[in-house]
């Protein structure tokens, strides 16, 4: 039953923590598998191991002097003041206000120590999750490591790298369900509906804190692009709602941006793991880069010429898309329902086996998924 499985998993987590050296691969599997890390007490012990943070050498608590002449202070202050719903309902005002002050200090401390990082609205939604789970001092160390690794692309001076990561969304959907992909393309909805999901790790859009920390378990144990795979499975899960929607940008964007709160999280986490194994980023990189290229002025000039003649650009572009050859036949029925054989189940439960050395490298060096990196692979 559930209680016995939970006790067994807790024992396995502590066994991995107490081994010498610590069995990080086992901790990753525990964080990914059903239920995640189960309690905040365990997260306080495991999250630092997933991020390779030494808890015996934590930085001192940031001081208030960080607020003086800090270019980000006013924006951070405004965002933190608007973050009331991110704190547990019923929390006394003085306790919440104290945590908000700590939240401001953590953010400013990380930015001060890492001048290459740039604050973005939504960053505080991630930081407050760590603050509520592990406390201010440990949160400062974890957030700093996370900001220079998993979140690095979101903290560039421009949104180019963030847009590039969003470009992976449609190729994933296309691999699994071409009908949904084509419908979204026809509606010209784009991917901006998923921006807040991605840059806050869903912290801004999910109201139940339990679901947020469960996803953080999953994302911390995985590749930096896993949040975009999870975004894709949410869209795919809502297939019928999407296809029943009016095929126009406003309608589809409104539907998708209103994320349901009663999602089957464990099922979707498992499916995101399936899709990562079946369609790793390396296989989608060319199409993601191509999506960026297709938006340039040079590549759309033929469309412009044709639309100028017929004076109906929306009709021309949609017609051109429908007539585009789809290439070889897809086995949609197979891809829509990811394989459930033993190999894939094992791959999902122990995703680091599939990632190999790359997963371990995530916590040691920044992974850059910038367009210029793609150009080096595909000259």
């Amino acid at each position: 039953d559930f209680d016995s499985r939970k006790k067994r998993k807790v024992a396995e987590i502590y066994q991995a923590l107490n081994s010498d050296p610590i069995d990080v691969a086992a901790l990753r599997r525990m964080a990914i598998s059903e239920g995640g890390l189960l309690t905040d007490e365990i997260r306080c012990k495991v999250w630092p191991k997933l991020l390779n943070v030494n808890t015996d050498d934590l930085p001192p608590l940031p001081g208030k002097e960080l607020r003086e002449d800090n270019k980000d202070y006013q924006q951070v202050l405004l965002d933190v003041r608007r973050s009331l719903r991110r704190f547990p309902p019923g929390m006394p005002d003085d306790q919440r206000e104290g945590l908000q002050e700590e939240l401001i200090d953590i953010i400013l401390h990380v930015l001060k120590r890492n001048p290459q990082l740039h604050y973005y609205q939504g960053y505080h939604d991630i930081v407050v999750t760590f603050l509520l789970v592990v406390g201010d001092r440990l949160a400062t160390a974890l957030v700093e490591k996370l900001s220079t690794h998993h979140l690095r692309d979101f903290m560039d001076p421009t949104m180019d790298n963030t847009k590039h990561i969003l470009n992976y969304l449609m190729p994933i959907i296309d691999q699994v369900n071409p009908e949904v992909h084509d419908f979204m393309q026809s509606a010209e909805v784009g991917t901006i509906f998923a921006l807040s999901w991605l840059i806050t790790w869903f912290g801004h859009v999910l109201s139940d804190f339990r679901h947020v920390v469960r996803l953080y378990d999953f994302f911390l144990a995985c590749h930096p692009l896993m949040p975009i795979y999870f975004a894709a499975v949410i869209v795919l899960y809502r297939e019928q709602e999407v296809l029943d929607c009016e095929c126009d940008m406003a309608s589809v964007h409104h539907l998708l941006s209103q994320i349901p709160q009663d999602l089957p999280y464990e099922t979707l986490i498992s499916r995101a793991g399936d899709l990562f194994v079946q369609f790793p980023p390396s296989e989608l990189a060319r199409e993601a880069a191509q999506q960026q290229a297709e938006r340039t002025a040079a590549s759309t000039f033929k469309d412009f010429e044709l639309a100028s003649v017929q004076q109906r650009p929306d009709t021309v572009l949609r017609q051109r898309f429908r007539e585009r050859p789809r290439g070889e036949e897809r086995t949609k029925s197979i891809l829509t329902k990811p394989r459930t054989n033993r190999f894939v189940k094992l791959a999902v439960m122990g995703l680091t086996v599939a990632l190999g050395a790359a997963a371990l490298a995530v916590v040691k060096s920044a992974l850059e998924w910038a367009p210029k990196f793609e150009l080096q692979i595909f000259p």
Side-chain angles (χ1 to χ4, degrees):
D1 61 359
F2 175 76
D3 286 339
S4 62
R5 283 188 288 118
K6 181 177 178 180
K7 288 179 182 177
R8 186 163 59 249
K9 186 170 189 179
V10 169
E12 290 172 353
I13 291 171
Y14 278 100
Q15 182 180 355
L17 283 168
N18 295 327
S19 63
D20 188 16
I22 292 171
D23 191 346
V24 177
L27 294 177
R28 290 185 185 279
R29 289 194 296 272
M30 297 297 108
I32 291 167
S33 62
E34 185 178 1
L37 296 174
L38 301 173
T39 69
D40 286 352
E41 180 184 357
I42 292 176
R43 291 184 177 101
C44 288
K45 294 176 169 52
V46 175
W47 281 5
K49 306 309 176 188
L50 298 180
L51 285 172
N52 196 25
V53 168
N54 183 1
T55 55
D56 296 326
D57 186 27
L58 296 176
L61 288 174
K64 302 296 182 187
E65 69 279 357
L66 285 171
R67 304 184 182 200
E68 299 173 7
D69 301 321
N70 189 297
K71 64 182 178 62
D72 296 303
Y73 173 60
Q74 289 301 325
Q75 185 61 58
V76 172
L77 179 63
L78 288 173
D79 290 345
V80 170
R81 282 178 175 171
R82 288 194 292 258
S83 66
L84 296 182
R85 68 183 189 85
R86 292 302 319 279
F87 294 88
M91 176 179 281
D93 288 347
D94 57 345
Q95 183 183 356
R96 174 186 49 75
E97 290 167 3
L99 287 169
Q100 286 179 306
E101 292 298 310
E102 292 174 3
L103 179 57
I104 293 170
D105 290 339
I106 293 171
I107 293 171
L108 296 180
H109 176 79
V110 172
L111 296 174
K112 175 77 171 178
R113 281 173 49 91
N114 300 273
Q116 78 279 14
L117 301 179
H118 297 261
Y119 178 76
Y120 64 89
Q121 287 184 281
Y123 180 69
H124 70 288
D125 284 300
I126 288 183
V127 181
V128 72
T129 302
F130 284 89
L131 174 61
L132 291 172
V133 172
V134 304
D136 55 352
R137 195 172 178 201
L138 182 51
T140 302
L142 296 182
V143 167
E144 181 168 11
K145 178 59 74 75
L146 193 72
S147 300
T148 54
H149 294 75
H150 291 62
L151 306 179
R152 179 66 184 84
D153 288 328
F154 308 147
M155 306 190 76
D156 277 347
T158 71
M159 287 190 64
D160 289 348
N161 286 356
T162 303
K163 292 175 184 175
H164 181 66
I165 294 171
L166 282 169
N167 284 342
Y168 281 81
L169 181 66
M170 295 305 290
I172 297 168
I173 293 171
D174 194 24
Q175 291 285 352
V176 179
N177 194 322
E179 184 180 5
V180 170
H181 172 272
D182 292 356
F183 182 90
M184 292 174 66
Q185 291 284 59
S186 296
E188 299 174 355
V189 68
T191 57
I192 198 68
F193 66 86
L195 177 62
S196 65
W197 306 357
L198 180 67
I199 65 176
T200 69
W201 277 11
F202 297 84
H204 183 73
V205 293
L206 297 181
S207 57
D208 192 325
F209 192 70
R210 294 172 305 166
H211 298 150
V212 175
V213 294
R214 172 65 187 102
L215 287 179
Y216 278 42
D217 292 342
F218 180 46
F219 296 151
L220 286 170
C222 293
H223 190 284
L225 286 182
M226 188 56 77
I228 204 68
Y229 282 81
F230 192 78
V233 299
I234 290 178
V235 175
L236 292 164
Y237 173 74
R238 304 182 70 190
E239 169 191 2
Q240 201 55 54
E241 289 179 83
V242 172
L243 296 177
D244 288 344
C245 189
E246 289 292 325
C247 189
D248 62 75
M249 188 271 285
S251 299
V252 180
H253 176 85
H254 178 74
L255 171 72
L256 291 175
S257 60
Q258 305 297 311
I259 191 169
Q261 297 297 312
D262 59 347
L263 295 169
Y265 292 93
E266 293 300 336
T267 300
L268 296 182
I269 285 171
S270 178
R271 195 172 185 208
D274 271 339
L275 296 185
F276 188 97
V277 173
Q278 292 177 14
F279 314 113
S282 58
E283 292 185 8
L284 303 174
R286 184 183 293 274
E287 190 171 348
Q290 181 65 22
Q291 285 206 14
Q292 184 71 20
E294 286 176 353
R295 286 197 270 270
T296 64
S299 64
T300 58
F301 185 66
K302 287 293 183 185
D303 290 331
F304 172 76
E305 285 185 310
L306 190 57
S308 299
V309 172
Q310 300 194 21
Q311 296 299 306
R312 290 293 304 277
D314 57 338
T315 304
V316 172
L317 293 175
R318 290 179 185 180
Q319 181 66 24
R320 181 173 180 268
F321 178 80
R322 282 195 294 268
E323 292 174 354
R324 177 172 62 92
R326 289 210 59 81
E328 58 189 66
E329 279 297 313
R330 315 260 183 123
T331 53
K332 177 188 171 186
S333 60
I334 296 175
L335 294 180
T336 304
K337 299 178 180 178
R339 297 167 295 174
T340 56
N341 61 39
R342 184 171 178 270
F343 171 78
V344 173
K345 286 183 178 177
L346 288 173
V348 174
M349 298 299 283
L351 197 53
T352 47
V353 175
L355 296 178
L360 192 56
V362 158
V363 298
K364 293 182 178 177
S365 61
L367 294 179
E368 297 185 23
W369 298 94
K372 64 180 181 180
F373 179 71
E374 295 294 343
L375 291 175
Q376 292 170 0
I377 300 176
F378 307 115

